[in-house]
Amino acid sequence: MDRWHTIIEPFRIHAVEPIRLTTEQEREQALAAAGWNLFNIHADDVLVDLLTDSGTGAMSRDQWAAIQHGDESYAGSPSWYAFLDAVQALFPFRHVIPTHQGRAAEKILFSAIGGRGRVVPNNTHFDTTRANVEFTGAEAVDLVIPEGREPATLHPFKGNMDVTALEALLAARSDDVPVVFVTITNNSGGGQPVSLENLRAVGAVCERFGKPLFLDGCRFAENAWFIKAREPGQADRSVIDIVREIGSLADGMTMSAKKDGLANIGGWLAMNDDGLAERCRNLLILTEGFPTYGGLAGRDLEAIAQGLREVVDEDYLRYRIRSTAYLGDALDAAGIPLVKPIGGHAVYLDARALLPHIPPLAYPGQALAVELYRAGGIRGCEIGTVMFGVHPDGTEEPAAMDLVRLAIPRRTYTQSHIDYVIEVATDVARRASTLHGYRIERQPAQLRHFTARFAPLA
Ligand code: F0G
């Protein structure tokens, strides 16, 4: 199996989508019109779109076929049972509540258990998770291990929760904590995995304090692959077996099927607690839909069910993790500072280290993301002070890191697309000292990175 070193995509291409190269001048015009916010760019003007790995992957032949089985019955659709079986085959929680995506699951859960005075610990909240916690008036606290905040520090499980810090928080404020979250993999911290050992330790602390442990499971299969590859004693286990153990350590989960569901839309909320499930289902009916479809069409439920069977395929996961590392290793070899080791779904460039002349409040991550687009039509995503710098009271300070995430859509781009990204990024890095910062001209109260408008600090 390991005799050949070429990374091989374990699929052939069956339908193609055209992409087109724009000129630098066209891209400069597009940027000005977009207020230098890459979320405002027309996707036709993007050549290689690494904005997100969420819902942007290619579905398989078998997923498209499953869509034809979609049954749109309002209640009790067979597509719902196919979805339920596929979810519970991996995560046997008593209650599975389908939602249109991950943040709908978060909104429902935190509406039920959040609120003023409450505090929710997580290794690192992703943007919508933090926003949904804070929207209820509760506080979102990130307790990743210290190595998880140091881009260049090597650690096999940089997504691990700081168990001592969690114990201290629970000792001080146990009554205020409705749930403990662990995000696998830790997206905001570089797509870094959490070890089984850490999950067990977090689970033991939760049990001691009588707190439920929930997973933010978006990239559970990638996390399980890292456990198999890196955690002592796990190499001979199947990924499915590891996933089941991960699930067995938790009391519930939120999930975006747009990641490791290999689907374009979908998600779920799951738990063992009957009373909490009833409250969540009532909220679901209010905004998402009846509990056997949530916010989804029957065909979406079928695509997810099939996707969940495919995502734990070990040939797929080997290709997935190695092809992400291919991009990261090449940029590393070119001397570009980045988060190491390379994460599962994305490469995270360390813009603060690459652009020391741009202070965090002039948004070095934004500067780098804009230049990658301007130079080569590559769209990445700032994960730094623009995304996380504003506190609920409106004050602003630098985020822990200023990163640019190059997220790899699943089964979508070939090695030549990635070679092009390497060429462009290497050129941009060579000219790093000529890049300039940005100021924000206009921004909303929450989740400003999606809609803010910027202006260059010439
Ligand atoms: N949790 C994590 C760790 C995520 O990465 C995301 C989405 C969500 C929750 C919310 O899920 O989008 O289905 O509502 N992350 C995407 C990204 C958007 O680009 O990383 P959703």
Side-chain angles (χ1 to χ4, degrees):
M1 177 179 73
D2 290 319
R3 178 169 171 209
W4 311 113
H5 295 294
T6 308
I7 301 170
I8 194 93
E9 290 88 357
F11 49 80
R12 297 181 300 201
I13 293 166
H14 173 66
V16 297
E17 292 179 280
I19 53 178
R20 102 192 146 91
L21 189 53
T22 47
T23 63
E24 261 187 39
Q25 198 191 1
E26 284 173 317
R27 293 193 293 273
E28 278 163 11
Q29 281 165 5
L31 279 167
W36 287 271
N37 185 334
L38 299 177
F39 284 98
N40 288 338
I41 300 274
H42 194 310
D44 279 352
D45 296 334
V46 177
L47 184 68
V48 181
D49 202 347
L50 308 182
L51 182 67
T52 177
D53 64 322
S54 182
T56 51
M59 288 209 299
S60 68
R61 171 193 64 192
D62 293 340
Q63 283 179 291
W64 285 109
I67 278 180
Q68 293 295 328
H69 288 273
D71 178 297
E72 306 303 340
S73 301
Y74 188 92
S77 158
S79 299
W80 152 250
Y81 290 102
F83 169 88
L84 180 63
D85 286 349
V87 173
Q88 288 183 328
L90 299 173
F91 300 101
F93 294 117
R94 281 157 60 83
H95 302 280
V96 177
I97 298 173
T99 59
H100 78 276
Q101 55 185 83
R103 69 197 69 182
E106 294 161 6
K107 171 82 167 99
I108 289 169
L109 179 67
F110 295 122
S111 299
I113 64 175
R116 201 158 294 285
R118 296 271 160 116
V119 54
V120 177
N122 199 325
N123 47 351
T124 312
H125 291 83
F126 192 60
D127 60 351
T128 60
T129 324
R130 169 172 288 279
N132 273 303
V133 169
E134 290 175 351
F135 189 71
T136 70
E139 195 185 331
V141 178
D142 293 340
L143 299 179
V144 73
I145 55 170
E147 292 90 333
R149 295 179 209 266
E150 299 160 3
T153 304
L154 289 173
H155 185 291
F157 292 102
K158 257 175 129 166
N160 280 354
M161 177 85 96
D162 183 336
V163 180
T164 312
L166 176 66
E167 272 179 306
L169 177 74
L170 284 165
R173 300 187 58 183
S174 181
D175 288 349
D176 300 337
V177 178
V179 66
V180 173
F181 253 84
V182 175
T183 303
I184 54 172
T185 57
N186 184 20
N187 184 9
S188 318
Q192 301 292 326
V194 176
S195 69
L196 270 179
E197 185 190 27
N198 187 253
L199 277 171
R200 289 194 201 107
V202 171
V205 171
C206 289
E207 201 169 306
R208 189 142 51 79
F209 285 90
K211 299 298 169 188
L213 169 60
F214 269 56
L215 303 168
D216 178 338
C218 294
R219 300 174 181 87
F220 70 85
E222 293 171 7
N223 199 102
W225 178 265
F226 280 122
I227 287 173
K228 183 179 165 81
R230 294 183 184 165
E231 190 156 350
Q234 303 300 320
D236 294 331
R237 290 178 75 186
S238 72
V239 164
I240 294 188
D241 196 36
I242 294 171
V243 170
R244 288 196 185 119
E245 181 173 352
I246 291 172
S248 75
L249 294 168
D251 303 291
M253 72 188 294
T254 55
M255 176 70 191
S256 168
K258 302 173 75 170
K259 284 81 170 180
D260 276 352
L262 298 180
N264 301 124
I265 198 72
W268 68 81
L269 170 62
M271 64 200 67
N272 290 326
D273 182 322
D274 298 336
L276 178 61
E278 189 178 328
R279 280 190 289 151
C280 289
R281 281 209 181 89
N282 289 334
L283 289 170
L284 181 86
I285 293 170
L286 203 60
T287 56
E288 288 278 297
F290 187 73
T292 64
Y293 71 88
L296 295 168
R299 55 180 170 271
D300 300 325
L301 294 166
E302 295 277 358
I304 296 166
Q306 179 59 25
L308 289 174
R309 287 189 283 274
E310 293 176 12
V311 79
V312 289
D313 178 273
E314 299 189 5
D315 288 340
Y316 161 73
L317 283 169
R318 182 180 300 107
Y319 143 78
R320 172 73 176 155
I321 301 303
R322 284 190 67 199
S323 57
T324 303
Y326 174 84
L327 171 60
D329 291 346
L331 298 180
D332 188 27
I336 301 176
L338 35 73
V339 176
K340 288 200 266 191
I342 305 305
H345 67 295
V347 173
Y348 294 68
L349 310 181
D350 184 353
R352 193 176 288 174
L354 182 69
L355 307 171
H357 60 290
I358 303 180
L361 293 181
Y363 313 124
Q366 190 65 20
L368 180 57
V370 166
E371 183 56 20
L372 288 169
Y373 175 75
R374 198 199 63 79
I378 296 160
R379 177 158 69 168
C381 182
E382 194 263 9
I383 298 202
T385 302
V386 175
M387 189 180 275
F388 291 118
V390 180
H391 299 297
D393 66 3
T395 58
E396 184 183 29
E397 72 183 354
M401 299 186 269
D402 276 297
L403 305 175
V404 172
R405 184 184 70 172
L406 303 178
I408 320 284
R410 292 172 181 76
R411 309 187 291 200
T412 302
Y413 290 111
T414 66
Q415 193 164 321
S416 344
H417 293 113
I418 298 301
D419 285 336
Y420 172 80
V421 174
I422 293 164
E423 185 182 353
V424 172
T426 305
D427 174 71
V428 169
R430 219 177 277 132
R431 297 184 281 106
S433 65
T434 65
L435 270 56
H436 53 73
Y438 285 82
R439 64 186 166 79
I440 291 180
E441 283 208 312
R442 204 144 32 89
Q443 61 182 7
Q446 272 116 20
L447 295 169
R448 65 175 177 174
H449 50 291
F450 289 123
T451 55
R453 294 187 73 84
F454 298 83
L457 292 170

